[in-house]
Amino acid sequence: MASATEIEIVHVNAPLGHEVRGVDLSRPLAARTVEAVERIFDMYGVITLRGQTITPEQHIAFSRHFGALERYPIDRFLLPGHPEIFVVSNIVEDGRAIGMADAGRVWHSDMHFTATPSRCSLLYAREVPMRDGRALGATLFASTAAAYDALPRDIKATVDGRRALNSYSRYVERRSAKVGGGKSGQSERTKQADQHPDVWHPLVRTHPRTGRKCLYISDEVTCAVEGMGETEGEQLLKELLAHITRPEFVYTHEWRVGDLLIWDNCSAVHNAIGDYGPDERRLMHRTTVAGGPTF
Ligand code: OGA
Ligand code: MN
């Protein structure tokens, strides 16, 4: 068993790119190892464990250390026999898409549009598209905590204590305007919209475990600010999102097969880059850990 003392943290890129080495998820983990990984995760918000060879069962078992797992709401993208795993993939087998091909193609955090958004997600890379020796389909991560800390005092005063409205139906509308109604998960998203009423969340969330303040905005989902007119609110959200995604807060994760990456859905937002074609296979398995009410 790996002991906590063998764990090494390698800082790849500020503020979110941290690799955790010395943990083999295919072997039984000591409780103190799991606790150490969770502590490192809380501290950094995005961590990668490279070179993992794990089964769906091992992926699920490790994920459960972070809390109860949530099932992704679209059944046909769940891994057969393992509904805890949501398949993100462009692979078509026997005429059937085995996963969602266009997941997360906008700055967002997972399940932001629900009253109790997910705590974290664990994405495991099984197949990564390559072209000319370069990996495609990177995922960008931006630190909403570092972005909040760096806000000028007057903007902090404007956003602190204010709520914002988050709308899944609005997201679906915006997506279909951009990609067309028939694309990949779009028709399922339209069906899902009825089941997700709009929700208010604080524009500045307090991280439930670290107490850090985080800007809580997902593009196309967060659509109005309490106490502000439509235009003023939209303008503020646009400026805040541009601030969050400034290069100094963004880590680009270039995937390698065997990466297990964990992201926090409060202290980070992420965005998937769709720079590969339908025949360049990408296969990712995601588990999702439930979260609580926001504050
Ligand atoms: C997700 C997601 C990003 C990616 O699964 O929630 O946003 O790069 N995926 O696949
Ligand atoms: Mn996502």
Side-chain angles (χ1 to χ4, degrees):
M1 281 190 195
S3 75
T5 51
E6 291 162 2
I7 293 179
E8 187 194 351
I9 305 168
V10 180
H11 186 196
V12 182
N13 196 345
L16 289 178
H18 289 81
E19 277 181 39
V20 174
R21 298 197 182 153
V23 181
D24 179 354
L25 300 178
S26 71
R27 301 178 56 200
L29 296 174
R32 65 181 185 286
T33 304
V34 175
E35 282 160 21
V37 172
E38 188 170 35
R39 227 175 11 253
I40 296 165
F41 172 60
D42 280 339
M43 195 178 302
Y44 296 116
V46 174
I47 58 171
T48 309
L49 288 76
R50 300 253 195 204
Q52 304 294 324
T53 305
I54 51 170
T55 62
E57 288 84 357
Q58 287 164 336
H59 182 180
I60 292 165
F62 178 65
S63 303
R64 287 210 166 108
H65 290 302
F66 295 84
L69 300 190
E70 280 174 353
R71 198 175 278 212
Y72 194 78
I74 302 176
D75 285 352
R76 76 174 177 99
F77 296 142
L78 303 178
L79 186 67
H82 295 287
E84 300 87 350
I85 290 181
F86 163 48
V87 180
V88 176
S89 184
N90 60 351
I91 298 172
V92 178
E93 262 167 19
D94 302 324
R96 172 188 164 266
I98 65 163
M100 186 182 277
D102 60 349
R105 297 277 173 86
V106 68
W107 284 106
H108 72 286
S109 65
D110 297 335
M111 305 308 270
H112 189 138
F113 47 82
T114 64
T116 54
S118 319
R119 174 186 175 195
C120 60
S121 308
L122 297 90
L123 195 63
Y124 178 54
R126 291 187 165 271
E127 292 187 52
V128 175
M130 301 288 294
R131 200 186 298 159
D132 304 325
R134 214 174 62 79
L136 302 171
T139 311
L140 312 181
F141 295 91
S143 173
T144 57
Y148 174 81
D149 290 345
L151 282 178
R153 200 184 290 256
D154 60 321
I155 313 263
K156 278 187 181 157
T158 306
V159 294
D160 278 336
R162 240 184 241 268
R163 296 187 308 166
L165 190 65
N166 299 279
S167 168
Y168 188 75
S169 359
R170 163 96 165 208
Y171 165 69
V172 173
E173 267 168 37
R174 294 272 172 116
R175 281 285 88 191
S176 58
K178 275 187 192 154
V179 301
K183 184 106 186 276
S184 185
Q186 200 57 32
S187 55
E188 282 85 356
R189 287 195 192 102
T190 306
K191 283 183 218 140
Q192 283 296 313
D194 303 338
Q195 287 155 42
H196 293 294
D198 295 357
V199 288
W200 291 94
H201 286 300
L203 191 47
V204 180
R205 257 184 92 175
T206 304
H207 193 282
R209 298 173 61 87
T210 65
R212 279 191 87 177
K213 287 189 167 186
C214 306
L215 281 169
Y216 195 51
I217 297 170
S218 284
D219 198 5
E220 300 180 356
V221 168
T222 311
C223 58
V225 179
E226 189 177 37
M228 285 189 179
E230 197 177 322
T231 319
E232 190 192 3
E234 277 183 6
Q235 185 58 29
L236 175 65
L237 291 170
K238 206 168 133 201
E239 283 167 18
L240 290 172
L241 196 68
H243 171 77
I244 294 168
T245 57
R246 270 162 48 174
E248 64 263 42
F249 305 130
V250 174
Y251 164 61
T252 300
H253 187 75
E254 307 270 2
W255 291 94
R256 293 182 211 152
V257 171
D259 287 354
L260 186 285
L261 186 148
I262 317 173
W263 66 75
D264 189 292
N265 283 307
C266 177
S267 62
V269 283
H270 56 283
N271 188 355
I273 304 300
D275 59 354
Y276 50 94
D279 299 325
E280 295 174 297
R281 290 166 65 107
R282 187 176 193 263
L283 174 58
M284 318 290 276
H285 279 184
R286 186 184 110 186
T287 52
T288 315
V289 177
T294 58
F295 52 91

